[in-house]
């Protein structure tokens, strides 16, 4: 399921039924780039039943895919040099700038036509109940790109990043200094701290008892603020919360060994999605309460 949550708040209630959304997205499937295209975007199926829109209790899961041709600059340079030498031999004198520019365009077009594209995708979870739309990526640019493509399909999509009453760094620093976090959250064993001056000197703790640690307290007293902190929610989910309002490395607590995995792939996927939604909803609500999101 989703592993890196980049969150946005829907500014208008989501009212589109799953069937209508599927009909719209199905008009824009992922296609292979043609000879002149570097990258293409399109919607790809989700889950074992290969649905363009996966829906459970109004929660929607969709996936934007892409195919991208990667042409190394070194390959272009080598091919242009080879073509330049061949042209010089052919015409008896070195090619001019205009000729070299034309050769480069021909080389790039040839390499693009022969390049094998890499394939990727990103999941998007839509929670109409709480007005969340969450993109499964740690890259804010990729999240924005995915929402831009979705907005193009829908015609309109008004979203904004969540805004806390104070900076997230301030809240995280308070939590770590006091050892207390609200709403069923608990502090884990990782954190990153940065100086608040322009140097942004960084100290990281990993697999470390950070609550009550004298070294951590010293850094806070010296004015460093927490930019990332490992958190858990209700013994159900664990993640790293960042000053960019992202939940990274989101994972569910291990399932009870007594719980048998359903042999039916569709039922197993539904069960996993329900568990993920429960944990994501709970984690987001606890964070928003603790961060006084407006």
């Amino acid at each position: 399921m989703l592993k890196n949550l980049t969150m946005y708040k829907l500014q208008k209630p989501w009212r589109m039924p799953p069937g209508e959304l599927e009909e719209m997205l199905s008009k824009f499937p992922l296609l292979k780039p043609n000879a002149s295209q570097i990258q293409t975007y399109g919607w790809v199926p989700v889950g074992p039943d290969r649905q363009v829109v996966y829906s459970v209790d109004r929660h929607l899961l969709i996936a934007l895919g892409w195919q991208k041709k990667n042409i190394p600059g070194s390959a272009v340079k080598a091919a242009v040099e080879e073509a330049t030498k061949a042209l010089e031999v052919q015409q008896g004198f070195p090619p001019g700038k205009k000729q070299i520019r034309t050769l480069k365009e021909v080389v790039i077009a040839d390499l693009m036509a022969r390049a094998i594209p890499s394939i990727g995708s990103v999941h998007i979870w839509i929670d109409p109940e709480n007005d969340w739309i969450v993109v499964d990526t740690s890259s804010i640019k990729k999240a924005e790109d995915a929402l831009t493509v979705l907005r193009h399909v829908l015609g309109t999509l008004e979203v904004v990043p969540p805004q806390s009453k104070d900076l997230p760094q301030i809240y995280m620093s308070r939590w770590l200094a006091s050892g207390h976090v609200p709403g069923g959250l608990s502090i884990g064993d990782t954190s990153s701290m940065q100086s608040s001056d322009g140097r942004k000197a960084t100290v990281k703790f990993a697999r470390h008892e950070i609550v009550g640690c004298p070294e951590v307290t010293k850094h806070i007293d010296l004015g460093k603020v927490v930019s990332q902190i490992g958190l858990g929610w209700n013994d159900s989910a664990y993640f790293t919360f960042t000053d960019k309002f992202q939940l990274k490395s989101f994972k569910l607590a291990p399932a009870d060994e007594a719980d048998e995995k359903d042999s039916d792939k569709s039922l197993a996927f539904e069960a996993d999605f329900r568990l993920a939604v429960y944990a994501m909803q709970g984690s987001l609500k606890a964070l928003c309460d603790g961060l006084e999101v407006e």
Side-chain angles (χ1 to χ4, degrees):
M1 291 298 168
L2 281 70
K3 299 186 183 302
N4 294 290
L5 314 185
T6 299
M7 306 171 286
Y8 297 86
K9 268 290 184 181
L10 292 163
Q11 294 301 283
K12 293 182 180 179
W14 182 277
R15 304 192 187 283
M16 183 178 293
E20 184 178 347
L21 178 60
E22 176 145 14
E23 183 179 349
M24 296 181 75
L25 298 185
S26 296
K27 295 177 182 178
F28 301 93
L30 177 62
L31 301 175
K32 185 177 179 179
N34 61 34
S36 62
Q37 290 178 307
I38 292 180
Q39 185 170 7
T40 57
Y41 289 99
W43 302 96
V44 296
V46 175
D49 295 329
R50 309 287 292 168
Q51 299 165 271
V52 176
V53 177
Y54 185 80
S55 174
V56 173
D57 296 338
R58 295 188 66 221
H59 291 273
L60 308 174
L61 185 65
I62 58 178
L64 177 69
W66 61 82
Q67 294 195 26
K68 183 178 181 179
K69 297 176 181 177
N70 297 301
I71 304 174
S74 57
V76 174
K77 182 180 178 181
V80 169
E81 288 178 352
E82 184 178 344
T84 300
K85 290 177 182 177
L87 182 57
E88 182 176 353
V89 171
Q90 178 184 342
Q91 64 186 16
F93 56 90
K97 291 183 179 180
K98 185 176 180 181
Q99 287 180 305
I100 293 176
R101 187 163 57 248
T102 300
L103 286 175
K104 186 174 182 180
E105 291 173 355
V106 171
V107 164
I108 291 175
D110 178 61
L111 291 175
M112 283 181 58
R114 294 187 287 116
I116 298 175
S118 59
I119 300 173
S121 64
V122 61
H123 286 86
I124 301 173
W125 166 48
I126 303 171
D127 175 10
E129 182 181 346
N130 297 288
D131 297 324
W132 285 114
I133 185 163
V134 177
V135 187
D136 183 14
T137 177
S138 60
S139 165
I140 292 177
K141 182 183 184 305
K142 283 186 179 179
E144 296 285 355
D145 288 346
L147 294 181
T148 297
V149 177
L150 181 57
R151 186 177 296 112
H152 174 74
V153 175
L154 300 179
T156 181
L157 180 65
E158 296 182 31
V159 299
V160 295
Q163 297 291 326
S164 54
K165 190 173 181 180
D166 211 335
L167 292 174
Q169 299 94 308
I170 303 300
Y171 290 96
M172 288 190 284
S173 299
R174 290 174 188 163
W175 297 345
L176 188 52
S178 67
H180 173 72
V181 283
L185 293 171
S186 57
I187 297 175
D189 60 1
T190 61
S191 72
S192 291
M193 309 175 72
Q194 283 187 343
S195 60
S196 53
D197 57 25
R199 295 183 304 139
K200 291 190 176 181
T202 302
V203 177
K204 296 183 179 181
F205 295 88
R207 296 181 294 280
H208 197 93
E209 184 61 49
I210 56 177
V211 175
C213 172
E215 190 176 353
V216 170
T217 302
K218 177 183 176 181
H219 285 296
I220 293 176
D221 290 342
L222 289 173
K224 286 189 175 67
V225 293
V226 178
S227 57
Q228 297 188 23
I229 189 168
L231 297 173
W233 176 76
N234 202 31
D235 295 328
S236 297
Y238 303 94
F239 53 89
T240 298
F241 181 66
T242 80
D243 55 1
K244 306 299 183 186
F245 235 111
Q246 294 174 300
L247 280 66
K248 293 185 176 181
S249 303
F250 189 90
K251 61 181 180 180
L252 302 179
D256 193 319
E257 292 183 2
D259 294 339
E260 293 185 7
K261 195 76 171 180
D262 201 305
S263 59
D264 185 305
K265 291 184 179 180
S266 297
L267 292 177
F269 187 84
E270 179 182 339
D272 288 344
F273 185 55
R274 287 181 182 276
L275 285 173
V277 166
Y278 167 75
M280 291 187 295
Q281 275 191 321
S283 299
L284 294 186
K285 184 180 186 308
L287 281 169
C288 287
D289 290 345
L291 294 162
E292 300 178 283
V293 172
E294 299 173 338

